[in-house]
Amino acid sequence: MQHTSPIREPLITGGKTYHDITEDVCRQVEAGPNPRWAAAFGVALIGLAIFFYSVYRTLWFGIGEWGLNKTVGWAWDITNFVWWVGIGHAGTLISAVLLLFRQKWRSSINRAAEAMTIFAVICAAMFPVLHMGRPWLAYWVLPLPNTFGSLWVNFNSPLLWDVFAISTYFSVSLVFWYIGLVPDFATIRDRATGPIARRAYSFLSLGWTGSAKSWSRYETVSLILAGVATPLVLSVHTIVSMDFATSVIPGWHTTIFPPYFVAGAIFSGFAMVLTLMLITRVVFKLEDYITVGHVESMNKIIMTTGSIVGIAYTTEFFIAWYSGVTYEQYEFINRATGPYWWAYWTMMTCNVVTPQLFWFRKIRRSLVLTFIISIFVNIGMWFERFVIIVISLHRDYLPSSWAMFYPTWIDVGIYVGTFGLFFTLFFLFVKFFPVINMAEVKAILKSSSGVTQHGHHPHANVVHGAATDLNTNTKHSNE
Amino acid sequence: MQDRIKYWKGIEELENAPEFEKHARNEFPEFLPVNETNAEGASASGKTHRRDFLKLLGFSMAAVSLASCETPVRKAIPYLNKPVDLEPGVANWYASTFYQDGDYNSILVKTREGRPIKIEPNNQSALTSYGTSPKAQASLLGLYDNNRLRYPLIKNKEASWEKVDKEIASRLANVNGKVAFVSSTVISPSTKQLINEFGSRFGNFEHVMYDANSASGLLSANGGVIPGYDFSKASVIVSIGADFLGSWVAPIPFAKQYIQTRKVSSENPAMSRHYQFETRFSMTGANADVRVPIKPSEEAAVITAIYNAVTGSGAAAASVPNAATVTAAIKELQANRGKALVVAGSNDPGIQAMVTSINRALGAEGTTIDTAAPYYTKQGNDAQMIRLINEMNAGTVGAVLFYDANPVYNHPLAAKVASGIKKVNLTVSFADRANETAALVEYITPDNHYLESWNDFEPKKGYLSLAQPAINPIFTTRQMQDSLLVWSGSRTNYYDYIRNNWRKISTGDFNEFWDHTVHDGVLENGTSMLQVNTNVVATAPVIKAIKPTGIEAVLYEKAIGTGDMANNPWLQEMPDPISKATWGNYVAMPRGMAEEMQVVQGDVLKVTMANGGVIELPALVQPGQAAGTVSIAVGYGRKLESMPVAVGVGANAYPIATVVDNAVFFTGPVKLEKTNATSPIAQTQTHHTIMGRLIVQESTLNKYKADPKAVTEYVRVATHEGPAKPTTISLWDDYEYKDHHWGMVVDLNSCIGCNACVISCQAENNIPVVGKAEVLNRREMHWMRIDRYYSSDTNLESQDLGVVERYDKMEDPADNPSVIFQPMFCQHCNHAPCETVCPVAATMHSSEGLNQMAYNRCVGTRYCANNCPYKVRRFNWFAYPNNEKFVNINTTMQTDLGKMVLNPDVVVRARGVMEKCSFCVQRIQLGKLEAKRENRRPVDGEIQTACAQSCPTNALVFGDMLNPESKISKMLAHEQGERAFHVLEEINTQPNVTYLTKIRNLA
């Protein structure tokens, strides 16, 4: 048994038992759709419809339906791509990195976070295909044998590295997530009453028996996959950042992008996890599993990565001045004072100022403020990518080609549409899949719930107040 | 292996009974009604097993459906009787001539499979060799114009030629009153003679010539001809309002002459000094060393000052604007007698008479003016035309025939012309469509396009040229000259008529002479044939003072010229050299006026003219526009069904022109009022200054003379071993070129900004036209562009401003900026940023130095365009061919007729594909192939890119840098370290395109 320090906050509050955990999580899956869920799902479907219409316009008429031009060849498409991919990084970090670091607080959020990653990567993957002029030939980026003499793809190209990175990321995340889901599907299968439910969940649970051997294998596979997925947290966004870093455009051509982007990705990902979890935990009554402590830990990560991003901004600015390269210097002056100054200052306020608020414990532990700040963080990160892409492109080397970029309704429609896609998938997930990893939460119940288990750690009784009372079912109030 | 207990299935097995053995292998011992069709016993009974039946069914279905999926079969039908000289795939070249509104070009027409697809310069002509104007390049589209009339019209209804001929011939025979033949300038000796012969039948006949952009003042001051200006002999050129490089008198010959005085080399660092006093910012003004903005009403004062100083007379003059500059100009003129030239664009005969006297006093006649060879390119007589208009209204004109004339549109007395036409009994027009004038006449007998016609020309005395048809007339049109012959009752056709005419000047065997001349296209041995009326009363050098009234508007010709070519999408989309605006005209106003009126660019202004007419046009802030003046281009504002490309584009500014003393002035007073509307101007460039970057380099002649190696700043990169050339710092292995290494040199001193290269490239490479809306979205498809940079008063070193403010002010051009043109196109970088980033390897480097673009492979991620620092790549945002969105915009790719102009050697790109300059790889390959067939290397100059071939000033030199004898190699060897530089050298793209620093002759 692990020793848990008596001064640590319990990770599971409310005096839960194993059965409670099963009930609390499976109840949502087994119950009929609640009206709030249905309304939200309806809105998501509208978003999905917007997505389909905007995609139809793009595919049928051409990229001319967007606001791009010969100077600004990428704008909302790649901004959205990087934004969605970045968001996905939180899930992988929580699932993989925190597993390797043995952070037990990851157990209640890792399933939903990993789901968010997968759905975010799905949304992200839409863009590299849709932004192509001839997307029906998108398979040409794959190094498959062909009849063109076998023509290879161009391995020098960062866009090609993206293909490998994103597809690896997606497949590893999917496998990792799914393997984690198997025992929980088995639990639901065992409890299932309706014929469809029983068939579906037994199909999904792959015949899980719950034997000791299976659990042992489960633990091993999780560790291996965590080991495989951990480098992805760093490598995927590094490669995405190289879409810009390997180019010659001022504002793109900088070596700080890989760590800067990775930090930014984790930053925005955790913010999105918080946005989603703060709502989910209330709607699904999972406050005992996703506690203020969890929120605070995530906010600490947000603060750290946000500070790294802030330092990266400062470094970029310093290097622009120190290098003496007029193009780079102008790029930064243009960002702050040019026609898109409002995007730049939105980015700065949201990304540099807001995470610093988390130095204050009160703010870190305030759920309302955390929710608001998490939205701002994501807004800020969207503008960061917009600033990097559009501002660098719209005024680069030759002033004769300087041009403005204005989005069209189709640009906006595709972005709003990906929200529709994301939330459609997410709401389907929360309805039909167990949102919390029951098995892992049960594994930490004895050590981290603050509830005395029989015959162990009598000291725990002394320090914790109400939690020691086994008979009461009081929940910890939010401090 | 353990001992396994064997369980018997029955006694039979234990006993190994034979029946048991027999049935042991059968899984089903009972007889099953299933035929065995396994390998051991293939059934020959013919009954198909169920599974086999399904297999056969499935296979047959698949085979049948696959067999029915064929790739579409395209039928190619070979000639049964091959037309003479027509090899499919091989081009035929015909010499011809393009002439319109003074723009004369001797050309070669490239035809493929019997249809013209490209215009090139005819290098046999001394006047216009090696160069074409943008209008000449674009004139090809007029042949394939879907809105041309295909048959004659009587009262706007289709008629047959027989009927038309019968009616007109009989009505002409019985005409009552004057017969007038109204045309623009006719420089064809045979045509003029024919018209006169046609008219000799009538008691009262007049051939009236008038030009929409009139030079009648110049003519009346010089004996009815334009002096034989020769800019190549001038060391000092002073122009007062004459845009001689763009639209004045004879732009191409003048450009070729002028540029000879502007090219410099370290052996011969001599340049002319060019002063330009003008109102609007013209292309010529952009090339001048000293440019002074003056109002039209101030032209007289400037010229009088020069006149007084140079001829010693004391003509009365108002105060001279910019007196110091005028004095400096006068001083230089006087110091360079015999090498000086003064020209003026005004239509005031008094001003032109003064200019003639000035030139005479400066000893120009015989040196910078070839008195033996005047120009004939403008012969329009304003007074004659105005008199005719009055006569038409008085009812004394019985018949009027309009040839290449549209006075209801482009004459300031348009309303009177329209009313006059109503009073004329017989009205005929030879226009190719129902234009504003032709719509009012009774008979429209459409003329052939010039590419379908025989004709002769004499633009300058002693310089003759011919035009021959490059294609049979596509429609049932007929040459004007043939119509006149028919109506005169003659049996000759015009071809024979020309030949008969030319017999007079032929030497030796006529047929040989004729064939030779038709082949060459020109005869420039001093023989002259054109009859010109030189019986003109000399004008006195007396100028009437023009009282400046309010805002003075100046009219000028833009890309589409006087408006006849308004239906030409290539010209509509051609960016104006100075304003970079396309698809429309606008009110170009000085910044001070805009600030005063609180007008920003794009605000629609109500322009009220002197005659009460009102038009609405957007404002454009033009640096260098003279204070208190505006300039507006003519040719726009068409409302005709027969000009759908031009409908809704701009407004008609011709009514602003004023008539003073029977002379048409392209200036007039206007009143401007703000409206609340906005109409954005589609510019291809919206940032106009260099922002302190080393993209273009310029220096002064004095510095160049002092040290040719000090005029170009070469960027060095700091390394631990000291400053190094950027090209020496590289991680990559460089390409080895073994056979050819193609490159180009752009001489910034020679580029005048005319955009002929842009149109030539568009014609050669099937580049689509995208229309105003897409140009506003910054998506024009031109592979090459001429960047125009204004100078700014603020630069990076201005210490009195903070950094942010400095950059902000650097975006503002100076009030009277100097201008530099930079042709920009794919630099074919050896370290191309675009090549590395394409995920599917659609763009790669050739073994001869070209950056290649494989359209078929491109999936359209646009990373290459993003990574190109020169921004020369173009993306197909929509499908431009066969797309109703671009009907009447991209006319070369919508109808079968329009598609005839497409170059079959170049792919038409699909939607979603990236394209860019290819160094005309199709021409390179053709040149190499032809040389290989003849077992030799390509000769330098044989392979020319479209842009380099069409440049009238030879600013672009293309060639093989591995050939030490080629022009480009010699130029590069010579200018290395002196004027040669690469754009953005510091990022180590190693382009194959080299630029030569611009040298200005500043005081």
Side-chain angles (χ1 to χ4, degrees):
Chain A
M1 274 313 291
Q2 281 182 331
H3 287 266
T4 312
S5 162
I7 62 170
R8 275 184 195 254
E9 262 183 85
L11 294 172
I12 304 161
T13 56
K16 299 288 177 185
T17 62
Y18 292 130
H19 181 68
D20 285 335
I21 296 172
T22 313
E23 278 300 317
D24 286 338
V25 178
C26 290
R27 184 182 315 135
Q28 306 303 332
V29 180
E30 289 156 1
N34 78 51
R36 273 190 289 183
W37 177 90
F41 189 62
V43 174
L45 282 178
I46 294 176
L48 192 62
I50 295 176
F51 179 70
F52 284 136
Y53 175 69
S54 307
V55 168
Y56 145 72
R57 284 280 292 265
T58 307
L59 293 179
W60 186 255
F61 294 109
I63 305 292
E65 291 281 314
W66 295 357
L68 301 171
N69 55 46
K70 61 184 180 27
T71 304
V72 182
W74 289 343
W76 280 52
D77 47 350
I78 303 301
T79 303
N80 296 339
F81 165 66
V82 181
W83 189 77
W84 279 116
V85 174
I87 283 176
H89 279 60
T92 323
L93 191 145
I94 293 173
S95 296
V97 176
L98 293 184
L99 175 67
L100 294 180
F101 287 172
R102 303 189 188 286
Q103 296 296 305
K104 290 200 261 186
W105 59 272
R106 64 178 274 284
S107 326
S108 54
I109 49 172
N110 75 344
R111 165 90 36 83
E114 192 69 51
M116 182 204 76
T117 292
I118 289 168
F119 304 144
V121 174
I122 291 174
C123 291
M126 296 286 122
F127 290 101
V129 176
L130 287 173
H131 93 301
M132 287 185 182
R134 301 204 288 173
W136 48 92
L137 298 172
Y139 65 94
W140 278 357
V141 299
L142 301 172
L144 300 168
N146 51 55
T147 53
F148 308 131
S150 251
L151 181 60
W152 279 116
V153 293
N154 180 13
F155 291 104
N156 289 329
S157 167
L159 293 190
L160 192 77
W161 308 337
D162 269 350
V163 170
F164 298 135
I166 304 297
S167 47
T168 316
Y169 191 39
F170 181 67
S171 42
V172 171
S173 296
L174 190 64
V175 169
F176 196 3
W177 182 67
Y178 184 63
I179 299 290
L181 270 165
V182 167
D184 285 358
F185 280 144
T187 307
I188 301 177
R189 168 198 65 190
D190 294 338
R191 290 160 54 100
T193 48
I196 306 170
R198 214 184 355 216
R199 222 129 26 119
Y201 288 106
S202 50
F203 173 73
L204 286 170
S205 53
L206 303 179
W208 176 265
T209 55
S211 69
K213 208 165 203 172
S214 345
W215 279 115
S216 148
R217 291 204 180 113
Y218 174 84
E219 297 283 324
T220 316
V221 167
S222 297
L223 268 178
I224 294 173
L225 284 173
V228 170
T230 299
L232 287 177
V233 174
L234 300 170
S235 71
V236 171
H237 229 71
T238 299
I239 289 175
V240 170
S241 79
M242 288 188 185
D243 286 349
F244 312 111
T246 56
S247 88
V248 300
I249 302 299
W252 282 13
H253 181 76
T254 160
T255 51
I256 201 173
F257 271 10
Y260 159 27
F261 268 55
V262 172
I266 299 169
F267 181 48
S268 67
F270 271 85
M272 183 59 103
V273 171
L274 279 171
T275 310
L276 294 174
M277 289 295 97
L278 286 171
I279 305 285
T280 311
R281 71 191 278 280
V282 168
V283 173
F284 283 11
K285 304 193 195 342
L286 297 167
E287 294 93 336
D288 286 319
Y289 301 98
I290 305 172
T291 65
V292 179
H294 287 88
V295 172
E296 186 179 4
S297 301
M298 289 197 263
N299 283 342
K300 285 181 192 165
I301 294 187
I302 288 182
M303 188 185 69
T304 315
T305 49
S307 306
I308 297 177
V309 168
I311 292 173
Y313 291 159
T314 321
T315 313
E316 270 191 308
F317 194 74
F318 169 74
I319 293 292
W321 168 77
Y322 185 64
S323 69
V325 177
T326 52
Y327 305 110
E328 196 78 22
Q329 289 171 346
Y330 180 74
E331 173 57 30
F332 283 90
I333 292 177
N334 183 40
R335 282 188 187 182
T337 62
Y340 289 107
W341 62 269
W342 47 272
Y344 179 77
W345 290 108
T346 309
M347 166 186 105
M348 286 307 238
T349 352
C350 294
N351 288 354
V352 177
V353 173
T354 42
Q356 302 304 314
L357 292 172
F358 284 144
W359 284 106
F360 302 105
R361 191 164 191 268
K362 252 193 134 170
I363 300 183
R364 274 205 305 271
R365 297 184 68 90
S366 154
L367 295 185
V368 173
L369 286 178
T370 302
F371 184 77
I372 296 173
I373 291 177
S374 71
I375 304 278
F376 273 119
V377 166
N378 268 320
I379 293 176
M381 284 311 289
W382 191 91
F383 274 103
E384 180 197 284
R385 276 57 173 263
F386 181 82
V387 162
I388 290 175
I389 295 175
V390 175
I391 300 189
S392 306
L393 284 178
H394 101 284
R395 288 190 180 185
D396 62 337
Y397 286 99
L398 264 51
S400 60
S401 6
W402 288 1
M404 290 295 289
F405 162 77
Y406 302 105
T408 60
W409 284 115
I410 306 298
D411 277 311
V412 178
I414 294 194
Y415 183 46
V416 167
T418 50
F419 275 102
L421 177 64
F422 178 82
F423 280 109
T424 304
L425 293 169
F426 189 75
F427 289 138
L428 287 172
F429 160 72
V430 299
K431 181 72 208 64
F432 294 109
F433 285 20
V435 168
I436 289 185
N437 190 332
M438 295 184 276
E440 288 188 4
V441 167
K442 287 175 188 171
I444 63 164
L445 182 64
K446 285 194 175 160
S447 55
S448 307
S449 67
V451 174
T452 18
Q453 307 300 328
H454 294 291
H456 291 274
H457 298 288
H459 309 286
N461 291 340
V462 176
V463 181
H464 277 275
T468 57
D469 192 333
L470 277 171
N471 295 325
T472 58
N473 205 14
T474 52
K475 295 194 180 130
H476 264 280
S477 59
N478 294 334
E479 290 169 6
Chain B
M1 209 170 102
Q2 311 163 349
D3 271 350
R4 283 164 56 212
I5 305 167
K6 186 151 166 58
Y7 292 97
W8 305 107
K9 288 204 179 82
I11 290 293
E12 300 82 11
E13 192 174 345
L14 177 62
E15 289 170 354
N16 273 330
E19 278 139 51
F20 177 74
E21 289 293 317
K22 201 173 90 181
H23 292 294
R25 272 187 231 98
N26 293 346
E27 195 176 319
F28 302 101
E30 313 87 51
F31 172 70
L32 287 173
V34 172
N35 277 339
E36 287 171 356
T37 51
N38 55 18
E40 284 159 9
S43 162
S45 65
K47 284 206 209 145
T48 319
H49 189 276
R50 178 181 60 90
R51 283 184 188 158
D52 287 332
F53 168 73
L54 287 174
K55 273 189 235 169
L56 205 57
L57 182 70
F59 175 75
S60 314
M61 279 305 292
V64 162
S65 47
L66 277 175
S68 68
C69 287
E70 331 182 300
T71 43
V73 174
R74 289 178 203 224
K75 300 200 192 302
I77 306 170
Y79 286 114
L80 182 58
N81 294 313
K82 186 168 79 72
V84 175
D85 289 337
L86 206 157
E87 306 277 350
V90 175
N92 279 338
W93 297 82
Y94 297 96
S96 186
T97 306
F98 168 79
Y99 170 74
Q100 171 130 13
D101 292 319
D103 190 3
Y104 166 84
N105 285 250
S106 175
I107 57 175
L108 289 180
V109 183
K110 175 181 182 187
T111 64
R112 275 287 295 269
E113 285 89 47
R115 53 182 204 285
I117 59 168
K118 185 75 170 65
I119 308 275
E120 299 298 359
N122 181 2
N123 297 338
Q124 300 287 339
S125 161
L127 266 188
T128 63
S129 60
Y130 298 104
T132 50
S133 69
K135 290 226 279 280
Q137 287 288 339
S139 63
L140 198 46
L141 285 191
L143 177 62
Y144 303 115
D145 190 336
N146 210 19
N147 307 106
R148 279 173 71 193
L149 282 174
R150 302 181 181 199
Y151 32 69
L153 298 178
I154 302 181
K155 289 206 176 84
N156 289 316
K157 281 212 219 358
E158 180 183 349
S160 69
W161 279 106
E162 291 84 36
K163 182 153 191 263
V164 167
D165 289 339
K166 211 162 127 203
E167 288 186 18
I168 292 183
S170 75
R171 285 171 74 167
L172 277 175
N174 301 325
V175 74
N176 199 353
K178 183 177 193 168
V179 175
F181 190 95
V182 178
S183 72
S184 58
T185 299
V186 172
I187 62 169
S188 159
S190 302
T191 306
K192 226 183 195 186
Q193 189 180 298
L194 175 57
I195 294 171
N196 287 333
E197 280 176 17
F198 170 78
S200 62
R201 291 167 48 213
F202 307 104
N204 188 358
F205 173 79
E206 197 182 6
H207 175 197
V208 175
M209 290 188 287
Y210 87 99
D211 292 309
N213 190 352
S214 175
S216 60
L218 177 59
L219 291 169
S220 61
N222 290 287
V225 294
I226 299 167
Y229 297 122
D230 188 353
F231 290 87
S232 65
K233 305 267 187 330
S235 300
V236 181
I237 301 165
V238 176
S239 165
I240 300 111
D243 179 22
F244 57 86
L245 295 176
S247 55
W248 188 70
V249 177
I252 298 296
F254 289 163
K256 285 181 59 62
Q257 293 163 357
Y258 173 78
I259 216 66
Q260 287 176 45
T261 68
R262 307 299 286 177
K263 291 187 193 267
V264 289
S265 65
S266 43
E267 291 91 32
N268 183 22
M271 271 175 80
S272 58
R273 174 66 60 82
H274 175 186
Y275 287 87
Q276 185 90 2
F277 296 86
E278 60 178 12
T279 306
R280 68 175 180 107
F281 211 126
S282 72
M283 203 169 83
T284 312
N287 284 288
D289 297 307
V290 180
R291 182 186 172 270
V292 180
I294 57 169
K295 293 187 190 171
S297 55
E298 292 171 341
E299 282 180 9
V302 172
I303 293 178
T304 312
I306 302 177
Y307 176 73
N308 286 343
V310 166
T311 60
S313 45
S319 65
V320 182
N322 291 87
T325 321
V326 177
T327 316
I330 293 171
K331 253 222 206 78
E332 287 204 52
L333 285 171
Q334 288 170 320
N336 284 284
R337 278 172 201 274
K339 289 180 289 174
L341 185 57
V342 177
V343 289
S346 170
N347 213 19
D348 182 342
I351 288 185
Q352 292 293 351
M354 263 196 192
V355 169
T356 309
S357 309
I358 293 170
N359 282 326
R360 195 169 292 140
L362 289 171
E365 288 173 0
T367 53
T368 55
I369 297 182
D370 183 356
T371 46
Y375 291 92
Y376 296 139
T377 47
K378 286 265 167 105
Q379 295 162 52
N381 189 324
D382 287 336
Q384 213 182 359
M385 179 64 181
I386 292 171
R387 196 177 61 229
L388 177 66
I389 296 174
N390 290 331
E391 284 173 4
M392 279 166 66
N393 278 288
T396 53
V397 177
V400 65
L401 300 96
F402 293 100
Y403 168 59
D404 207 12
N406 191 3
V408 176
Y409 173 67
N410 60 30
H411 200 276
L413 302 176
K416 280 184 87 174
V417 178
S419 63
I421 288 178
K422 290 204 191 73
K423 298 199 176 133
V424 178
N425 181 280
L426 173 62
T427 50
V428 180
S429 170
F430 296 98
D432 66 346
R433 69 192 70 225
N435 63 27
E436 288 85 352
T437 308
L440 299 178
V441 307
E442 204 178 335
Y443 295 91
I444 307 183
T445 52
D447 189 14
N448 283 352
H449 190 259
Y450 82 93
L451 288 171
E452 298 166 331
S453 307
W454 280 102
N455 216 344
D456 56 7
F457 300 86
E458 190 172 350
K460 190 170 193 252
K461 187 164 182 195
Y463 292 79
L464 289 164
S465 71
L466 285 169
Q468 58 174 314
I471 185 172
N472 266 331
I474 301 177
F475 303 119
T476 334
T477 54
R478 186 173 68 192
Q479 266 194 266
M480 177 278 287
Q481 297 91 339
D482 279 318
S483 293
L484 288 186
L485 282 164
V486 167
W487 300 337
S488 313
S490 160
R491 296 261 173 85
T492 334
N493 62 35
Y494 186 51
Y495 170 60
D496 290 326
Y497 186 92
I498 299 178
R499 277 168 59 98
N500 282 335
N501 218 8
W502 279 60
R503 268 181 219 273
K504 300 183 212 141
I505 58 164
S506 80
T507 46
D509 176 42
F510 173 69
N511 280 324
E512 216 180 282
F513 162 79
W514 176 255
D515 285 346
H516 189 81
T517 314
V518 170
H519 168 271
D520 284 352
V522 290
L523 182 70
E524 293 174 346
N525 59 10
T527 320
S528 170
M529 277 171 44
L530 186 65
Q531 292 151 6
V532 175
N533 179 20
T534 51
N535 188 10
V536 171
V537 175
T539 335
V542 173
I543 307 171
K544 283 205 215 3
I546 305 176
K547 278 205 233 336
T549 47
I551 299 176
E552 298 175 45
V554 164
L555 299 177
Y556 65 100
E557 279 185 56
K558 215 149 95 78
I560 58 173
T562 55
D564 280 340
M565 296 178 100
N567 206 41
N568 189 322
W570 285 351
L571 290 177
Q572 287 279 11
E573 195 153 288
M574 187 183 105
D576 183 76
I578 301 297
S579 69
K580 294 289 157 218
T582 63
W583 290 99
N585 57 351
Y586 38 83
V587 178
M589 57 166 52
R591 195 165 34 207
M593 191 191 291
E595 279 167 14
E596 219 181 280
M597 288 179 66
Q598 292 183 321
V599 157
V600 296
Q601 182 155 317
D603 282 348
V604 173
L605 300 175
K606 196 167 108 169
V607 182
T608 314
M609 317 175 202
N611 66 359
V614 171
I615 53 174
E616 288 195 355
L617 282 174
L620 181 135
V621 178
Q622 177 62 54
Q625 179 83 21
T629 68
V630 296
S631 53
I632 306 178
V634 294
Y636 293 92
R638 314 310 283 270
K639 302 193 171 85
L640 305 167
E641 247 178 57
S642 58
M643 281 191 159
V645 174
V647 168
V649 179
N652 185 6
Y654 272 114
I656 294 176
T658 49
V659 177
V660 177
D661 277 351
N662 287 330
V664 173
F665 284 78
F666 252 20
T667 70
V670 293
K671 283 206 207 18
L672 300 175
E673 271 168 63
K674 258 181 97 162
T675 65
N676 286 327
T678 53
S679 172
I681 299 176
Q683 288 175 299
T684 55
Q685 188 182 335
T686 49
H687 278 87
H688 310 296
T689 54
I690 307 178
M691 304 299 291
R693 301 174 175 203
L694 212 53
I695 304 158
V696 275
Q697 304 223 30
E698 54 174 299
S699 184
T700 64
L701 187 62
N702 291 333
K703 285 206 193 106
Y704 186 63
K705 279 188 187 149
D707 182 7
K709 293 204 192 305
V711 295
T712 309
E713 192 181 327
Y714 290 105
V715 178
R716 292 283 176 263
V717 179
T719 66
H720 62 280
E721 290 163 1
K725 272 168 65 156
T727 51
T728 55
I729 304 163
S730 178
L731 295 171
W732 299 1
D733 293 332
D734 284 324
Y735 295 102
E736 269 179 44
Y737 299 113
K738 301 210 175 76
D739 197 11
H740 296 287
H741 185 185
W742 303 106
M744 195 175 278
V745 169
V746 182
D747 182 5
L748 293 178
N749 258 46
S750 301
C751 177
I752 56 174
C754 70
N755 276 291
C757 51
V758 174
I759 306 296
S760 180
C761 173
Q762 188 158 31
E764 171 76 16
N765 293 298
N766 303 336
I767 297 174
V769 173
V770 300
K772 185 169 184 176
E774 287 295 285
V775 175
L776 277 169
N777 283 335
R778 311 304 292 273
R779 294 178 181 164
E780 74 277 3
M781 293 299 281
H782 295 132
W783 287 3
M784 82 179 278
R785 60 181 197 259
I786 312 280
D787 289 339
R788 178 270 301 124
Y789 293 111
Y790 293 127
S791 63
S792 171
D793 287 327
T794 320
N795 56 40
L796 274 177
E797 286 86 34
S798 306
Q799 289 305 324
D800 50 330
L801 296 168
V803 167
V804 174
E805 228 197 315
R806 220 180 293 164
Y807 273 114
D808 199 34
K809 286 248 161 10
M810 275 164 69
E811 293 191 39
D812 288 335
D815 274 328
N816 183 22
S818 59
V819 165
I820 189 165
F821 292 113
Q822 183 178 46
M824 183 52 70
F825 42 91
C826 177
Q827 306 280 290
H828 295 272
C829 308
N830 290 302
H831 284 190
C834 58
E835 288 168 11
T836 47
V837 297
C838 173
V840 291
T843 180
M844 76 306 293
H845 218 71
S846 87
S847 58
E848 297 181 354
L850 262 56
N851 174 276
Q852 297 171 319
M853 188 63 220
Y855 307 124
N856 291 357
R857 178 71 172 166
C858 176
V859 290
T861 61
R862 302 182 297 288
Y863 196 170
C864 56
N866 286 336
N867 212 20
C868 175
Y870 308 99
K871 286 287 175 285
V872 292
R873 285 173 159 271
R874 302 286 175 262
F875 185 69
N876 283 274
W877 302 99
F878 296 103
Y880 295 112
N882 300 323
N883 187 342
E884 55 179 42
K885 197 176 154 102
F886 297 102
V887 158
N888 288 330
I889 295 173
N890 189 19
T891 55
T892 57
M893 297 182 194
Q894 308 299 329
T895 57
D896 280 341
L897 177 65
K899 288 179 192 172
M900 283 170 78
V901 82
L902 294 175
N903 183 352
D905 286 336
V906 176
V907 169
V908 174
R909 282 74 61 187
R911 158 163 80 98
V913 160
M914 192 63 80
E915 59 184 57
K916 66 168 186 74
C917 162
S918 59
F919 265 177
C920 282
V921 64
Q922 67 277 6
R923 292 180 174 215
I924 296 176
Q925 294 298 93
L926 183 64
K928 278 166 33 187
L929 178 63
E930 287 182 348
K932 192 170 179 181
R933 280 209 298 238
E934 293 170 19
N935 242 328
R936 58 171 177 86
R937 300 276 296 169
V939 167
D940 180 48
E942 216 180 5
I943 300 175
Q944 282 290 316
T945 55
C947 53
Q949 190 168 12
S950 61
C951 176
T953 54
N954 287 326
L956 303 165
V957 176
F958 176 79
D960 184 359
M961 298 191 288
L962 275 187
N963 175 3
E965 299 306 312
S966 69
K967 190 165 167 207
I968 189 176
S969 300
K970 290 190 185 143
M971 271 176 98
L972 287 172
H974 193 86
E975 301 287 357
Q976 207 58 255
E978 295 188 8
R979 286 175 65 212
F981 72 96
H982 295 296
V983 179
L984 299 179
E985 204 152 2
E986 59 267 42
I987 53 177
N988 203 17
T989 46
Q990 297 190 10
N992 281 330
V993 175
T994 314
Y995 288 79
L996 299 183
T997 305
K998 185 176 174 89
I999 307 288
R1000 289 188 208 268
N1001 188 2
L1002 298 176

